Amino acid sequence: KEGSITAIKEGHFLRQANSNLTLRCYFSATPGTPLSWSSENEKLHNKSKWIIREDGKVSPCSSPHLCLASSPYTLLALVARGSPNQAIFENWVELGKSLCRRGDNKKGISLKLKSHPNYGIVALSDSPVMSISFISVLLLYFGPAESSLSVRFTEHKELLIENSGGLVFRPLYNLYEIGNFMSATKDNCDRPRLGGQWEVNKDGSISPVQATHLALGFPAVG
């Protein structure tokens, strides 16, 4: 509560009181879409416009049937490797060995967590796969261990979610930065891009091959 952001309403925009950053949806306004603070240039987009209702609820102008709310689970993100917020995986040894296996007969391995017992990496049933231009996007969260996703490595070191139709792990906007959220995506075109490439560390964490100083984890609050 003490760390809450103070915002100013300017027309249909919400701006941080101590900066020029405005609140917007990461993607189009659909259930489960995360929010971010972005530069004033984003005001040109409909996803930055808000309605404040008489009961105090805040809704996107483009989707007035929705309103701001907190998620029951934390979004998966990139954190500094070695951080107390990094995820340590229960099946990390099996995950590491699977990198060396060839062929499409690999079995999916559960992403249950050792660092956070009873938790794993999940997709929420009320946050479905979103279609954004030619890309299908699924957001990833920390949730109940029994709902943990199963993944396997592709020959290109991508993390492929089992029975997902080809969704692979990728940081949002392909930005390998601390605090950036993780997603699983699939390009719906003839020449899809490769997903992120990943490696399993000896401490049980998972890092991007392109940025080994980072690891999968959850963002710090405050």
Side-chain angles (χ1 to χ4, degrees):
K1 182 178 178 181
E2 291 76 14
S4 297
I5 293 172
T6 301
I8 299 170
K9 185 174 184 292
E10 297 179 340
H12 286 298
F13 304 110
L14 294 174
R15 180 176 63 82
Q16 281 191 27
N18 61 347
S19 75
N20 290 321
L21 298 179
T22 56
L23 185 67
R24 72 172 180 93
C25 295
Y26 233 110
F27 307 119
S28 56
T30 56
T33 296
L35 307 179
S36 67
W37 293 97
S38 299
S39 70
E40 282 194 313
N41 295 333
E42 299 293 344
K43 283 188 177 183
L44 299 173
H45 301 289
N46 235 8
K47 53 191 177 183
S48 300
K49 295 182 179 180
W50 305 93
I51 303 168
I52 299 180
R53 303 186 180 280
E54 291 182 0
D55 60 3
K57 294 177 181 176
V58 179
S59 299
C61 288
S62 59
S63 301
H65 61 290
L66 302 177
C67 66
L68 299 188
S70 60
S71 169
Y73 304 120
T74 302
L75 280 161
L76 182 65
L78 292 172
V79 302
R81 185 172 169 184
S83 160
N85 289 348
Q86 74 178 3
I88 303 298
F89 291 88
E90 184 177 298
N91 300 314
W92 70 272
V93 173
E94 191 177 354
L95 276 167
K97 288 180 179 178
S98 74
L99 261 171
C100 303
R101 297 180 192 141
R102 299 286 181 180
D104 295 325
N105 59 347
K106 295 181 182 180
K107 291 183 178 179
I109 300 170
S110 174
L111 291 181
K112 293 181 180 179
L113 297 179
K114 180 180 179 182
S115 55
H116 300 76
N118 302 318
Y119 283 88
I121 308 305
V122 307
L124 300 188
S125 59
D126 57 353
S127 181
V129 176
M130 297 174 282
S131 293
I132 303 166
S133 187
F134 64 92
I135 307 172
S136 297
V137 180
L138 179 69
L139 297 176
L140 304 173
Y141 297 82
F142 284 87
E146 61 270 19
S147 301
S148 295
L149 297 171
S150 291
V151 301
R152 60 182 175 86
F153 278 103
T154 71
E155 61 181 357
H156 301 294
K157 297 187 177 181
E158 302 163 295
L159 278 173
L160 173 70
I161 299 177
E162 287 282 274
N163 304 316
S164 68
L167 293 170
V168 293
F169 277 39
R170 183 194 305 277
L172 293 181
Y173 300 112
N174 287 319
L175 295 176
Y176 291 89
E177 299 176 352
I178 291 175
N180 193 24
F181 295 122
M182 288 296 305
S183 65
T185 71
K186 177 186 177 184
D187 289 356
N188 301 311
C189 60
D190 294 334
R191 294 185 177 181
R193 300 165 297 165
L194 287 178
Q197 294 179 301
W198 306 90
E199 61 185 25
V200 180
N201 303 313
K202 292 183 178 179
D203 61 0
S205 62
I206 296 177
S207 293
V209 171
Q210 301 94 320
T212 55
H213 62 290
L214 302 177
L216 297 179
F218 57 94
V221 177

